[in-house]
Amino acid sequence: METIVTLGGSPSALSFRMSALLSLAADAGAAILSIYHGDSSSWDVATKSDASPLTAADRAANDVICAGLERMTPGVPIMSEENRQLEFEVRRKWEYYWCVDPLDGTKEFIKRNGDFTVNIALMHRPPGHPFSHPIAGVVHTPVESISHFAVQNHGAYRIPASSPNSEATPIAAASFRMTDPGLVVVCSRSHADARTEAFLAKMEAPKTAARGSSLKFLMVAEGEAAVYPRLAPTSEWDTAAAQIVVEE
């Protein structure tokens, strides 16, 4: 299945193939794995101003993604966690932009547990709307060589990263009521807190699972978990790509 995403409705509007975006995410994943499977002394781990970690893998994946997006959609702004951020008053005027977390789950990368992803989302702000919303997104899991993707009004899918042109498998979230007993609740490996415990206490015999990065969203998107309570602060590059996969 091939989907072409068009930015705008004019004959000259930019467009791209989702297979190209899937390939780009896989290329970024390969850049990450080349470092992940190497000597950890070469990871060049640093601490950013917000106390979160940064590694050579974050930087390598960011370089791959930004260069690829600039080729695919020249002139479309890129907001990546690893790039310098413009003021919101500037960004809020963008009609389209890319929202990127080149390595979501750097803490899990450092722990070498495999729970990290590559997140790329295309954001759109319709005329007259104050905020943007993801309209296409890819979440690639390098260690599993699997990509999940979605396009607005076209559903959500999973596909082997090694075969971006192969037939994709549709996925869907589960149907449930919050009063149902035994619901699976997926929680963060690195951000669980008392608020999460209070949330769980209101449920009927919930079962919990812990995953890192956007893998929590993917459990919800595939119906393996009912709820992911994220009650701590987060950033749009952490959630944008996975959000549309869950919504579709």
Side-chain angles (χ1 to χ4, degrees):
M1 183 194 71
E2 178 64 287
T3 302
I4 298 176
V5 181
T6 302
L7 287 65
S10 70
S12 61
L14 289 171
S15 64
F16 65 91
R17 296 179 181 275
M18 278 302 294
S19 59
L21 189 62
L22 287 163
S23 293
L24 179 60
D27 288 345
I32 291 169
L33 289 181
S34 68
I35 297 170
Y36 183 69
H37 292 311
D39 191 329
S40 60
S41 64
S42 67
W43 288 1
D44 192 21
V45 180
T47 302
K48 297 189 289 188
S49 59
D50 62 357
S52 63
L54 175 70
T55 70
D58 296 81
R59 292 187 286 268
N62 191 59
D63 290 345
V64 169
I65 294 168
C66 291
L69 294 178
E70 288 169 358
R71 289 192 301 269
M72 286 173 52
T73 53
V76 176
I78 301 170
M79 187 180 75
S80 169
E81 179 178 12
E82 308 312 339
N83 293 349
R84 183 179 66 85
Q85 305 306 322
L86 298 177
E87 295 294 330
F88 177 66
E89 288 305 312
V90 175
R91 293 186 282 113
R92 69 183 300 181
K93 298 174 183 177
W94 292 343
E95 182 181 5
Y96 292 96
Y97 69 95
W98 292 103
C99 185
V100 176
D101 191 341
L103 201 175
D104 181 26
T106 303
K107 291 179 181 179
E108 315 308 327
F109 174 97
I110 293 171
K111 295 174 185 175
R112 247 180 181 151
N113 63 24
D115 270 14
F116 51 85
T117 60
V118 175
N119 302 347
I120 308 174
L122 178 64
M123 310 294 288
H124 175 49
R125 180 181 59 80
H129 286 242
F131 301 111
S132 300
H133 190 275
I135 61 170
V138 173
V139 180
H140 172 63
T141 309
V143 169
E144 298 177 5
S145 192
I146 293 290
S147 293
H148 293 71
F149 70 98
V151 177
Q152 191 174 53
N153 301 322
H154 285 78
Y157 303 85
R158 63 178 288 160
I159 193 169
S162 58
S163 305
N165 292 307
S166 64
E167 191 66 26
T169 302
I171 60 173
S175 297
F176 62 92
R177 296 178 180 177
M178 286 298 291
T179 53
D180 291 345
L183 291 177
V184 176
V185 180
V186 59
C187 303
S188 172
R189 286 189 186 275
S190 301
H191 299 284
D193 57 15
R195 289 171 293 182
T196 303
E197 295 299 326
F199 180 91
L200 293 170
K202 297 176 182 178
M203 300 180 68
E204 181 67 29
K207 301 174 183 177
T208 60
R211 295 302 303 267
S213 68
S214 289
L215 295 171
K216 299 178 288 295
F217 289 94
L218 299 184
M219 287 187 67
V220 173
E222 292 206 0
E224 296 176 2
V227 183
Y228 163 36
R230 176 58 188 246
L231 306 175
T234 190
S235 299
E236 53 195 293
W237 46 68
D238 294 316
T239 61
Q243 177 180 335
I244 190 166
V245 174
V246 171
E247 290 180 348
E248 287 292 319

